[in-house]
Amino acid sequence: MKVKKLWITLALVFFGSFAILIYYGGEIFQKAPPIPEKVITLDGQVLYTKEDIQNGQNVWQRMGGQELGSIWGHGAYVAPDWTADWLHRELTWLLDHWAQSEYQSTYEGLSLEQQASLKARLKVEIRTNTYDPATGAITVSADRALSIQAMKEYYVKVFGDDPSMDEYRSQIAVPDNTIRSAEDHHSLSAFFFWATWSTSTNRPGMDITYTNNWPGEPLIDNVPTQSTVMWSIISVILLIAGVGALAWYFAVQRHREAPEQPAPKNDPLLNIKVTPSMRATLKYFWIVTALILVQVGLGAITAHYGVEGDGFYGIPLAEWFPYTVTRTWHQQLAIFWIATAWLATGLYMGPAISGYEPKYQRLGVNFLFGALLLIVVGSMVGQWMAIKGYITDLQSNFYFGHQGFEYVDLGRAWQILLSVGLFLWFFLMARAVWPAIRQKSEGRHMLILFLLASVAIPVFYTPSLMWGQHTHLSVSTYWRWWVVHLWVEGFFEVFAAVVISFLFSRMGLIRTATATSTVLFSTIIFLFGGIIGTFHHLYFAGTPTGVLAFGAVFSALEVVPLLLIGFEAYENLRHSRASAWVSRYRWPIYFFVAVSFWNLVGAGIFGFLINPPIALYYMQGLNTTALHAHTALFGVYGMLGIGLMLFCLRGLSGTRSWKTKLLRFSFWSLNIGLMVMGVTSLLPVGIIQALNSMKKGMWYARSVELLHSPVMQNLVWFRAVGDTIFALGIVGIVWFVVGLKTGKSLEQDTAVHSESKTYHV
């Protein structure tokens, strides 16, 4: 297929997919669960106002939001899903209240006929939609008002300092006095009520709730909808069809490829002159290694809180750094160090590609470095202050504290600064690459695609600025997944494919024309499923059925390109053995091979495990999600970040050889540790939770009763084996990079010098 046709196809896929994504964004805005002006009783007593609900969402965000339990299944796993928890507690309270009033017994003590009668009454009570669009009011019965008050009192105890809840708070990693004021307690209960009401009340004129009957709750027949089952079946069929079509296409194309070119006799990259701005990227890689070490350490602490909720092997660490803080920092630093590795690679490659050092380029690289450090430190301090209660004003928290949304937790002011920094990064890189694009060489198309993939990184971070302090949760969730899915899981993937192919073409291991057409094609098929596949995160977030249908179909198609991962891994291995001089880049290339492996396992197998609607209905918010997140985020993007860092450090080391025993150990330790962590702990814990979710409901799958049972605690403890192996690999990487600076990681040999210079990095 000609390059021009590929560009046209890519443009059609891009604009067509975003048209659908934006259209359904409007549908979500129109059909999201309504936030009432007030919640009132039949006699007109006002229980909550719209302001209470909106402020309650902000209180929830300030205390950590999705880092402390979850809402609608999105969030952390140690504490309950608060909507599933509120729903089940309120339902059982009502059943016991009615049983006591009418039969002087508990619900469990009634006959089956009596239980059936009360259960039918309960379903009518809860699932009947009493929202009046004319007045903007939700009206509840006297009994419902009593249950709401009982739930409010219960959560005051949980988030306060009631001694009867000490053990429970420890088990779910909630500090004493997480919320201090009576006003904030009232607002939080208002938000919890509304979020739960959305999961249990039918949409007008329909027999499904605003969240498509999520969470599963047998007491009111919250079960998977017909659409959930039907589109799950269709998604599997389309996956099989897509895999077959791609296999056929790949087989045909392999016969049309031009003969392979022999590898160069000498390393073409040795002719690259290291410029001052390229040398200035060294500090970025030092920071990357430091952040990796801190991030993994925080991960170990966070995982341990799942067993010992308020301590770390007896140390009362939660007094200073509670679970919410360590989990926030663990996730945020993962994004920061991976992004920093990629940004530094772009800054390094710009002058390397063109051989041109723009004026003041080094100054720009150094300024950006300082700005990124300010954002990292400032946002982390703000989050800690919010969670610890030093930031009490809700508006101040929104701008400088904790936004409460996973992966985009940093306050709005820090998000704005990061957006500006990312655009500055693109400007610095583009001005260095531009002279090479103007030459109209064979690699021009690859360079253009490289710039497009690069500009997508700042552009698709800006959706994090699209929600405000009081934006509806469904709408802010929609925009949040633009960032997490399209930015982290989408255009990072494109950037990765372009960079790896570009490096191999510059090394002379693949033809530039072949690399260009291959990357364009893989980008097309990835974005064809990837852009609209964003919807698979929104099945149960108060969205209409159309989102479920498109999400199911296109998230299945996201897996199709992974069919070729095995070929990609093989090609990367083959490149590493193409010529003797390629051994200089063996370990960066091996990390690229690991990227291919984890793309298949972490993003593909473990991703599709939870992607179909029927699977996610029972698994959303369980450890199966954590399994996918760890093996995809670190396995794919983390391994790539390390590989790119090593590739750049290899160039900055000049001609001196590396001592690679430590790299060999780290490579296998990281991959084995990640696999052990996943399949011996996260996967079995997630499966046991899913089985209980199917049997008893989501509330039980996330309950202390299940998660602190002996079997589950032993599985959580066993994760320490994989974590330790993995951590040793991280220490090895850090030690190796430090050794490049001290010379301990360099062979004491004398090599033939070229235009490049040798630096201790």
PDB file of all heavy atoms in Angstrom, residues 150-164:
ATOM      1  N   ALA A 150     -29.644   7.008  58.847  1.00  0.00           N
ATOM      2  CA  ALA A 150     -28.847   5.937  59.446  1.00  0.00           C
ATOM      3  C   ALA A 150     -27.515   5.770  58.708  1.00  0.00           C
ATOM      4  O   ALA A 150     -26.460   5.556  59.335  1.00  0.00           O
ATOM      5  CB  ALA A 150     -29.633   4.622  59.417  1.00  0.00           C
ATOM      6  N   MET A 151     -27.550   5.890  57.378  1.00  0.00           N
ATOM      7  CA  MET A 151     -26.318   5.784  56.607  1.00  0.00           C
ATOM      8  C   MET A 151     -25.388   6.958  56.908  1.00  0.00           C
ATOM      9  O   MET A 151     -24.166   6.786  57.041  1.00  0.00           O
ATOM     10  CB  MET A 151     -26.629   5.748  55.103  1.00  0.00           C
ATOM     11  CG  MET A 151     -27.355   4.500  54.632  1.00  0.00           C
ATOM     12  SD  MET A 151     -26.509   2.961  55.043  1.00  0.00           S
ATOM     13  CE  MET A 151     -27.448   2.434  56.485  1.00  0.00           C
ATOM     14  N   LYS A 152     -25.967   8.136  57.033  1.00  0.00           N
ATOM     15  CA  LYS A 152     -25.166   9.317  57.348  1.00  0.00           C
ATOM     16  C   LYS A 152     -24.449   9.129  58.682  1.00  0.00           C
ATOM     17  O   LYS A 152     -23.241   9.393  58.794  1.00  0.00           O
ATOM     18  CB  LYS A 152     -26.059  10.553  57.389  1.00  0.00           C
ATOM     19  CG  LYS A 152     -25.326  11.828  57.807  1.00  0.00           C
ATOM     20  CD  LYS A 152     -26.281  13.011  57.864  1.00  0.00           C
ATOM     21  CE  LYS A 152     -25.586  14.256  58.386  1.00  0.00           C
ATOM     22  NZ  LYS A 152     -26.518  15.410  58.461  1.00  0.00           N
ATOM     23  N   GLU A 153     -25.167   8.664  59.683  1.00  0.00           N
ATOM     24  CA  GLU A 153     -24.568   8.448  60.999  1.00  0.00           C
ATOM     25  C   GLU A 153     -23.476   7.391  60.938  1.00  0.00           C
ATOM     26  O   GLU A 153     -22.439   7.507  61.617  1.00  0.00           O
ATOM     27  CB  GLU A 153     -25.656   8.038  61.998  1.00  0.00           C
ATOM     28  CG  GLU A 153     -26.660   9.150  62.298  1.00  0.00           C
ATOM     29  CD  GLU A 153     -27.834   8.663  63.122  1.00  0.00           C
ATOM     30  OE1 GLU A 153     -27.882   7.445  63.427  1.00  0.00           O
ATOM     31  OE2 GLU A 153     -28.718   9.487  63.452  1.00  0.00           O
ATOM     32  N   TYR A 154     -23.675   6.363  60.128  1.00  0.00           N
ATOM     33  CA  TYR A 154     -22.672   5.313  59.992  1.00  0.00           C
ATOM     34  C   TYR A 154     -21.379   5.879  59.397  1.00  0.00           C
ATOM     35  O   TYR A 154     -20.274   5.617  59.909  1.00  0.00           O
ATOM     36  CB  TYR A 154     -23.207   4.181  59.116  1.00  0.00           C
ATOM     37  CG  TYR A 154     -22.153   3.185  58.706  1.00  0.00           C
ATOM     38  CD1 TYR A 154     -21.712   2.215  59.599  1.00  0.00           C
ATOM     39  CD2 TYR A 154     -21.580   3.231  57.432  1.00  0.00           C
ATOM     40  CE1 TYR A 154     -20.721   1.300  59.232  1.00  0.00           C
ATOM     41  CE2 TYR A 154     -20.599   2.327  57.061  1.00  0.00           C
ATOM     42  CZ  TYR A 154     -20.172   1.368  57.957  1.00  0.00           C
ATOM     43  OH  TYR A 154     -19.190   0.472  57.591  1.00  0.00           O
ATOM     44  N   TYR A 155     -21.467   6.654  58.332  1.00  0.00           N
ATOM     45  CA  TYR A 155     -20.267   7.166  57.682  1.00  0.00           C
ATOM     46  C   TYR A 155     -19.600   8.276  58.486  1.00  0.00           C
ATOM     47  O   TYR A 155     -18.391   8.500  58.347  1.00  0.00           O
ATOM     48  CB  TYR A 155     -20.583   7.618  56.252  1.00  0.00           C
ATOM     49  CG  TYR A 155     -20.802   6.439  55.330  1.00  0.00           C
ATOM     50  CD1 TYR A 155     -22.073   6.114  54.871  1.00  0.00           C
ATOM     51  CD2 TYR A 155     -19.748   5.623  54.955  1.00  0.00           C
ATOM     52  CE1 TYR A 155     -22.294   5.016  54.047  1.00  0.00           C
ATOM     53  CE2 TYR A 155     -19.946   4.523  54.138  1.00  0.00           C
ATOM     54  CZ  TYR A 155     -21.219   4.223  53.686  1.00  0.00           C
ATOM     55  OH  TYR A 155     -21.419   3.122  52.899  1.00  0.00           O
ATOM     56  N   VAL A 156     -20.350   8.961  59.341  1.00  0.00           N
ATOM     57  CA  VAL A 156     -19.729   9.893  60.278  1.00  0.00           C
ATOM     58  C   VAL A 156     -18.783   9.131  61.198  1.00  0.00           C
ATOM     59  O   VAL A 156     -17.670   9.582  61.501  1.00  0.00           O
ATOM     60  CB  VAL A 156     -20.804  10.650  61.101  1.00  0.00           C
ATOM     61  CG1 VAL A 156     -20.152  11.379  62.281  1.00  0.00           C
ATOM     62  CG2 VAL A 156     -21.543  11.648  60.224  1.00  0.00           C
ATOM     63  N   LYS A 157     -19.198   7.950  61.634  1.00  0.00           N
ATOM     64  CA  LYS A 157     -18.344   7.112  62.475  1.00  0.00           C
ATOM     65  C   LYS A 157     -17.117   6.625  61.703  1.00  0.00           C
ATOM     66  O   LYS A 157     -16.000   6.625  62.215  1.00  0.00           O
ATOM     67  CB  LYS A 157     -19.132   5.909  62.996  1.00  0.00           C
ATOM     68  CG  LYS A 157     -20.257   6.250  63.967  1.00  0.00           C
ATOM     69  CD  LYS A 157     -20.990   4.982  64.386  1.00  0.00           C
ATOM     70  CE  LYS A 157     -22.136   5.293  65.337  1.00  0.00           C
ATOM     71  NZ  LYS A 157     -22.874   4.047  65.728  1.00  0.00           N
ATOM     72  N   VAL A 158     -17.331   6.206  60.449  1.00  0.00           N
ATOM     73  CA  VAL A 158     -16.226   5.669  59.652  1.00  0.00           C
ATOM     74  C   VAL A 158     -15.161   6.723  59.400  1.00  0.00           C
ATOM     75  O   VAL A 158     -13.955   6.473  59.584  1.00  0.00           O
ATOM     76  CB  VAL A 158     -16.746   5.107  58.309  1.00  0.00           C
ATOM     77  CG1 VAL A 158     -15.575   4.736  57.389  1.00  0.00           C
ATOM     78  CG2 VAL A 158     -17.636   3.896  58.535  1.00  0.00           C
ATOM     79  N   PHE A 159     -15.578   7.926  58.986  1.00  0.00           N
ATOM     80  CA  PHE A 159     -14.611   8.958  58.616  1.00  0.00           C
ATOM     81  C   PHE A 159     -14.284   9.901  59.764  1.00  0.00           C
ATOM     82  O   PHE A 159     -13.525  10.855  59.579  1.00  0.00           O
ATOM     83  CB  PHE A 159     -15.135   9.747  57.411  1.00  0.00           C
ATOM     84  CG  PHE A 159     -15.247   8.917  56.165  1.00  0.00           C
ATOM     85  CD1 PHE A 159     -16.494   8.549  55.671  1.00  0.00           C
ATOM     86  CD2 PHE A 159     -14.118   8.471  55.506  1.00  0.00           C
ATOM     87  CE1 PHE A 159     -16.614   7.768  54.523  1.00  0.00           C
ATOM     88  CE2 PHE A 159     -14.214   7.692  54.363  1.00  0.00           C
ATOM     89  CZ  PHE A 159     -15.464   7.337  53.874  1.00  0.00           C
ATOM     90  N   GLY A 160     -14.842   9.628  60.933  1.00  0.00           N
ATOM     91  CA  GLY A 160     -14.508  10.397  62.128  1.00  0.00           C
ATOM     92  C   GLY A 160     -13.521   9.645  62.993  1.00  0.00           C
ATOM     93  O   GLY A 160     -12.558   9.044  62.493  1.00  0.00           O
ATOM     94  N   ASP A 161     -13.777   9.640  64.307  1.00  0.00           N
ATOM     95  CA  ASP A 161     -12.852   8.954  65.213  1.00  0.00           C
ATOM     96  C   ASP A 161     -13.582   8.068  66.218  1.00  0.00           C
ATOM     97  O   ASP A 161     -13.082   7.822  67.318  1.00  0.00           O
ATOM     98  CB  ASP A 161     -11.980   9.966  65.950  1.00  0.00           C
ATOM     99  CG  ASP A 161     -12.791  10.947  66.781  1.00  0.00           C
ATOM    100  OD1 ASP A 161     -14.043  10.899  66.720  1.00  0.00           O
ATOM    101  OD2 ASP A 161     -12.189  11.764  67.494  1.00  0.00           O
ATOM    102  N   ASP A 162     -14.772   7.573  65.840  1.00  0.00           N
ATOM    103  CA  ASP A 162     -15.531   6.720  66.739  1.00  0.00           C
ATOM    104  C   ASP A 162     -14.712   5.473  67.085  1.00  0.00           C
ATOM    105  O   ASP A 162     -14.271   4.744  66.188  1.00  0.00           O
ATOM    106  CB  ASP A 162     -16.854   6.317  66.072  1.00  0.00           C
ATOM    107  CG  ASP A 162     -17.787   5.612  67.029  1.00  0.00           C
ATOM    108  OD1 ASP A 162     -17.509   4.434  67.355  1.00  0.00           O
ATOM    109  OD2 ASP A 162     -18.782   6.218  67.449  1.00  0.00           O
ATOM    110  N   PRO A 163     -14.486   5.206  68.390  1.00  0.00           N
ATOM    111  CA  PRO A 163     -13.645   4.065  68.792  1.00  0.00           C
ATOM    112  C   PRO A 163     -14.163   2.718  68.302  1.00  0.00           C
ATOM    113  O   PRO A 163     -13.366   1.799  68.073  1.00  0.00           O
ATOM    114  CB  PRO A 163     -13.680   4.132  70.329  1.00  0.00           C
ATOM    115  CG  PRO A 163     -14.036   5.550  70.642  1.00  0.00           C
ATOM    116  CD  PRO A 163     -14.952   5.994  69.545  1.00  0.00           C
ATOM    117  N   SER A 164     -15.486   2.595  68.116  1.00  0.00           N
ATOM    118  CA  SER A 164     -16.037   1.315  67.671  1.00  0.00           C
ATOM    119  C   SER A 164     -15.609   0.968  66.259  1.00  0.00           C
ATOM    120  O   SER A 164     -15.730  -0.180  65.828  1.00  0.00           O
ATOM    121  CB  SER A 164     -17.569   1.340  67.754  1.00  0.00           C
ATOM    122  OG  SER A 164     -18.117   2.280  66.828  1.00  0.00           O
TER     123      SER A 164
END
